[in-house]
Amino acid sequence: MIEFFLNGQRQRVAAEANMSVLELLRGPLAKCGTKEGCASGDCGACTVAIADPKDDAETGQPLTYRTANACITPAHQLQGTHLVTIEGIARGHALHPSQASMVACHGSQCGFCTPGIVMSLFALHERQRRTPDAPLDAHGLELTLSGNLCRCTGYRPIRDAALSMGEHADTRPPWADDPALEDEVRRVGSTSFCKAEDQAQRPDQHHYQTPTTLAELIAAMHRHPDAPLVAGATDLWLDVTQQLEPFEMLIDLRQVRELRQIEEDAEGWWIGAALTYREWEPLLAEHYPAFAHLLTRLGSAQIRNRATVGGNIANASPIGDTPPVLLTLDAKLRLAGPDGVRTLPLESFFLDYKQTALAPGECISAIYLPKPEADFQQRVWKLSKRREDDISTLLAAFRWQLKNGVLSDVRVAYGGMAAIPRRVKTVEAALEGRAPNTAAFEAAKQALRDSVTPMSDTRGSSDYRLAAAVNLLERWHLTLDHTGSNSPTQEVALDAYAH
Amino acid sequence: MEARIESESPDTGQEIGRLEGDEPVARDTVTPRPVSNTPRHAQGHESGIKHVTGRARYIDDLPAPHGTLHAMVGLSQIAHGRVTRLDLDAVRAMPGVVDVIAAQHIPGHRDIGPVFPGDPLFADEEVSYVGQPLFAVAATSYAEARRAVKAAVVEIEPLPPRFDPVAAAEAGEFVRPTHVQVSGDWQQALEGTPHVLEAAQFVGGQEHFYLEGQACLVVPSEDEGVIVYTSNQHPSETQKLVAEVLDIPFHAVTVENRRMGGGFGGKETQAAPWACMAALLARRTGRAIRLRLPRADDTRATGKRHPFHSHYRLGFDDDGVILGGDITLIGDCGHSPDLSEAVVDRAMFHADNAYSLGAARVTGHRARTHTASNTAFRGFGGPQGMMIVERAMDDIARHIGEDPLTVRKRNLYRAGRDTTHYGQHVDQHPLMVEIIERLERSSDYWQRRDAIREFNHRSPIIKRGLALTPVKFGISFTAKHLNQAGALLHVYTDGSVMINHGGTEMGQGLHTKVCQVVARELGIDLASVRISATRTDKVPNTSPTAASSGADLNGMAARDAASQIRQRLLDFAAEHYQFDREGLGLENGKLITDNGASMPAVSWGELIQAAYLGRVSLSATGFYSTPLIHYDRDSGQGRPFYYFAYGASVSEVRLDTLSGEYRVERVDILHDVGDSLNPAIDLGQVEGGFIQGMGWLTSEELKWNDDGRLITDGPATYKIPTFGDLPPIFNVELLEGHPNSQASIYRSKAVGEPPFMLGISVWSALRDALASLAAYRISPALDTPATPERMLMAAEALRAASRDLQETT
């Protein structure tokens, strides 16, 4: 039995094993307004908004409604949250501004993607209510809506709708009138169904463990050595929806305190492995803008609200976006297991295709990100078939310092070029200690050609990957003349060295 | 453009309730309000409020009867082979399974090919593509049905598959015979010209990616038949096929569709198999059956837009004006004919686009390959046909050193060169000239051309490109008999009106337009007119909603029905109220005279009640068939199209020649819809069509592995445009003041497909950006989709060729 709020109404429902929020809505709860487009988190038709007090525990602010793809969100993760769906935002016949604006701008044609788009606009509207002075520029809108595919409209009327929500009456959903609702949500959210010791008494939760401390987590992993760990579930849940491989047992990381905090020391930060991309974003924006910009091209808002960097690393995909960047930053991992905690350089973590250095019973608990040195410079370039909401064909991460006219501390890493994300030390060696001139970069390019044989797959051919990887070294070289403009926008590439 | 719902009623709640129908219709008569019902009114989509509140129902949202089972389909994993074993015992034994069917369980027709045979409902002895249905299972839940399918034991002895349509054409492996159109002495034209160019062009296919996948719900009826709720562009054909598969009369099958979550051609023929399978299971089990394909199954099992391998050899004069030549189009049809005969025909009909080909031969091959059977997709071969001549335009321009726009303009149909290679006179061809000239000015084409050349000269890595491409698209089904439509109109005694017609709503706003037609004919407001689901027991023997013809055909049929009612009402009123019949009319919800004065306050509602009491029939059927069209396949000559729709677009791109990444920075469009029935909806079709066409040519890449398995089988790997692909500057206008020269519905023009081909300007602009790498002296090869990979490889090739060129000169 899970307890949560749906459009302001308390729900206590039995959530079957491996059930998604979408299946719960369209099945037992008979709320069919939320649509299934792909069941893989790629189209956004099933977008819902979830306010989770566990995400906002520290802020003391009103609950924040964040979008998620209901198709790949496990229903159990609704425990103690407020779920808002397309059925819950109008006030009787009076439409919410996100809805009224879509109607007025002719933003729907076939209407199937529309509930998801409206929910993304709803979350945007909530954010704008909270911070009315924050400007909404084209890029901000892209970040909000690029996870919602529409096959009919071509998006122009949806853009107009997003920009004109303020012209409509600020109709609030009926549940917004209830001053006790947020407290109730917080109260239910804190009364965990989830204590490991409770679970023996709750047979319907026998397949779902929700430890709250690292010690409980390690114990749960010991009891259930084959149980996958789940946080955002944005990749794992594809096993259920696409591979039809149900899980007997899952261990949820989202309430493990140690995995959800950031510890700062003199040299850097230990960042909890179960923090989402969204939660990393402020720190990266301040210290590593190029890395922060990469996050905006990783998945969609719905994904970034839920997916974690720990998951991106543990997944050990050759095309994961963050590992190449973290490799160039000399990131370390804190691995927790039955025998305690150890620290491992990220570089030693990836062994072979989908093989990692994790020992049985061990998990990633935190990622260490060193603070940038004074002369630190970085470039991160992602190439993909579509700019937004796409997986890398190729990802290049470069980091260096320019001291006394020569390159030092050069790190070069690529994703999508080999079975694992990896540094290319021959390229680093070709540049280290050299002046950043044509000869040095030509040597680096030759070193790259000699060192890698990229794969061919649906995202790109080996020839393209190699040619582009070499060319990105050339781009790096060209942009070195413009080091003054170390702005994240240059990561979009096109304007960086146009003149 | 105003939105009526917003502006009209401050209490939107009232308005919503009215439209939604969740309140009973009042016992008082409907009182139409005086609102603008002109055909140009930008009325919102009839389901707009239902869309945004989640109350619009799609197939899988329909409440199902108690005991409904879920069906799933077992698909071939082999592209070509003989089935040696299909053991379904293990499937039957899986939890929740109630029934399992394969080919031998079909009582009636086993082949459901829509026009020609070749599409077995279930593959029996031979499989022809990865994803071909082999069997279907019904189980008590969706998850159980999906798992049960995996338990099948299937053994297939592989046969050599064929995936290359060019090789298939060379070997004479066709799904239909080759067709040729010839005008004039094309060989003489090639021999006598100062310049001859030739090139081959590959144009990739396209997945429909309708957001609502293939889905149906079939309920067995108390007779021998079924009621089929299906996401489907062609209810009548599905009715026919279900009846034939079940071996029952057509009247035992009713097919219903209220709306689709997108169709785009993908539900014209390819929605039928699932309905047939579900109907079989429903009759066998006596229980209702839901069948909804998971996205990956949907993508593998159903056909796509045809990929084309095309070739041109054209002769032209020193000004770049085409004198004649030879164009060959090879459509990759997949394993069966499906609609490929007509698709390749339409490609041939559009190999000229807006240009006179002079003395030309156009040949269309229908190659058979071992993939899903390629099918209708917005434009229906037209876009693929246009691509070859648009490629030629750019190539000719580079060859003679002129701007591509100059060469395009010189080749447009004009007086003296106004007959197509298939013998149709091009009506309204001056419109094309006007559209281009207006767009040249409004987009500052020539100033931007100069600025871009100057920019490219200075910028070694980033290159900008610009192109203007026209569209001339023929409107009518090329299968003549499909150019007919029916409608059924009822007026109830409270004055409310129900209209039903043969067209289906897939988001294109057809139902909205038809309601507007009825409201206009009867002089009442739109809220008084409601449209119901398309049903084969209301309007029979209908054509698919396709070929952009939905409003042209069904709007006319609805108008016919409404005007019959109007005539009856006016005849009755003249007699009943003793008015002069001459000059009586219906307007603003009232009976009026010809001077516009309303007669002594006879409202619509009173008139209807009086007519009912006067025993006037308040129900009518309407019918329409398109006049004038004909085509003779033997001679390859005729007038296949009632009229042409025109448009043009200008696209500017910015390319990073180191990575192949690019952005479409600005697009200007001017498009002809005649006198628009609804500018808001037409604008939506133009914009949406453009972006879909751009996606086809840029990011939407279909890839198969060596075994013929589609590996881009979902949105993770198949990339349709998303929000950020919307050009930052996107100026789209409808051409005003040019009604259709033909007597179409209120002189409007069809708008569903033509704007799709406006996307070609993006591809041409990308070629323009590439061409700058060789000082515009080489016309680059660029197959589609022009992914960043293709762009980078083309850029590298251009740079190398440019170096060679410099060395040799």
Side-chain angles (χ1 to χ4, degrees), chain B residues 111-156:
Chain B
D111 192 318
I112 59 164
V115 187
F116 307 102
D119 293 297
L121 183 59
F122 294 114
D124 190 358
E125 287 159 7
E126 185 174 329
V127 293
S128 308
Y129 71 100
V130 176
Q132 186 167 26
L134 292 169
F135 65 95
V137 55
T140 48
S141 77
Y142 182 77
E144 284 168 330
R146 279 188 83 177
R147 277 189 216 112
V149 162
K150 294 173 80 175
V153 180
V154 182
E155 289 173 10
I156 294 171

Side-chain angles (χ1 to χ4, degrees), chain B residues 282-313:
Chain B
R283 284 313 320 173
R284 284 165 58 89
T285 59
R287 293 163 76 170
I289 302 287
R290 271 193 194 288
L291 197 164
R292 169 172 65 88
L293 293 184
R295 179 62 66 178
D297 286 1
D298 188 316
T299 310
R300 287 218 169 87
T302 62
K304 324 265 165 255
R305 178 185 297 284
H306 292 60
F308 267 69
H309 291 265
S310 306
H311 180 270
Y312 77 80
R313 185 156 180 265

Side-chain angles (χ1 to χ4, degrees), chain A residues 41 55 66-69 72 127 139-147 232 234 274-281 291-309 321 382 387-390:
Chain A
D55 287 349
R66 297 196 175 91
T67 53
N69 290 310
I72 51 169
R127 200 158 69 239
H139 186 59
L141 256 189
E142 285 173 17
L143 296 185
T144 300
L145 287 167
S146 65
T234 54
L275 288 173
T276 62
Y277 292 120
R278 181 185 55 73
E279 289 166 312
W280 278 63
E281 204 271 334
F291 192 1
H293 186 265
L294 170 68
L295 292 195
T296 67
R297 288 192 52 193
L298 193 159
S300 59
Q302 290 91 323
I303 297 294
R304 295 188 293 270
N305 283 336
R306 299 188 42 81
T308 66
V309 179
D321 276 342
K382 170 174 174 166
R387 189 154 40 87
E388 295 161 307
D389 195 9
D390 197 359

